[in-house]
């Protein structure tokens, strides 16, 4: 049986369920809105066939090196850019375990 390829809409719906938020579907109308919104978060969802392996490897390294009870994060910095514009990457599961999502759905 062929493996199901998630479309970006399927992924947005799944993330909305996971975080207890709402998928906003105003893209077809040409409106600039978040993909998913919760009470506290405005979420842009990016779906790709594969993530850059260096980012995946960086998260694996952060997880390996995190002391017990510490939250593994990856900070992405662009040369020459201000540090307050750096990006913070963490696993969705870790945010859920922190209690960030009101209605988390453990599936997905």
């Amino acid at each position: 049986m062929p493996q199901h390829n998630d479309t970006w809409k399927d992924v947005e719906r799944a993330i909305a369920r996971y975080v207890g938020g709402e998928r906003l579907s105003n893209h077809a109308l040409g409106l600039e809105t978040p993909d998913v919104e919760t009470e506290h978060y405005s979420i842009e969802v990016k779906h790709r066939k594969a993530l850059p392996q260096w980012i995946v490897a960086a998260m694996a390294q952060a997880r390996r090196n995190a002391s017990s009870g510490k939250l593994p994060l990856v900070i992405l910095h662009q040369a020459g850019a201000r540090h307050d514009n750096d990006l913070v990457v963490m696993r969705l599961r870790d945010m859920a375990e922190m209690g960030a999502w009101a209605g988390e759905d453990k599936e997905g």
Side-chain angles (χ1 to χ4, degrees):
M1 182 154 125
Q3 184 176 356
H4 176 68
N5 280 334
D6 291 331
T7 67
W8 58 271
K9 288 180 185 180
D10 292 336
V11 173
E12 288 177 3
R13 285 184 195 102
I15 295 298
R17 279 191 309 274
Y18 192 95
V19 302
E22 178 183 2
R23 177 181 177 267
L24 304 178
S25 57
N26 292 324
H27 299 294
L29 302 175
L31 301 176
E32 292 290 323
T33 62
D35 295 327
V36 175
E37 196 169 65
T38 70
E39 182 178 350
H40 298 287
Y41 299 100
S42 174
I43 303 168
E44 187 68 25
V45 177
K46 296 299 180 196
H47 171 67
R48 298 290 182 269
K49 183 176 180 177
L51 296 177
Q53 281 305 297
W54 66 270
I55 295 176
V56 174
M59 180 53 69
Q61 180 180 1
R63 292 186 63 223
R64 276 193 313 274
N65 295 337
S67 302
S68 179
K70 302 276 180 144
L71 179 65
L73 300 174
V74 174
I75 306 291
L76 303 177
H77 173 75
Q78 181 175 319
R82 294 177 48 95
H83 287 289
D84 58 358
N85 288 321
D86 291 355
L87 303 178
V88 178
V89 178
M90 64 187 297
R91 294 184 322 154
L92 189 62
R93 175 185 298 166
D94 293 333
M95 276 195 82
E97 288 173 0
M98 290 173 41
W101 314 121
E104 66 183 273
D105 175 354
K106 293 290 186 183
E107 300 298 315

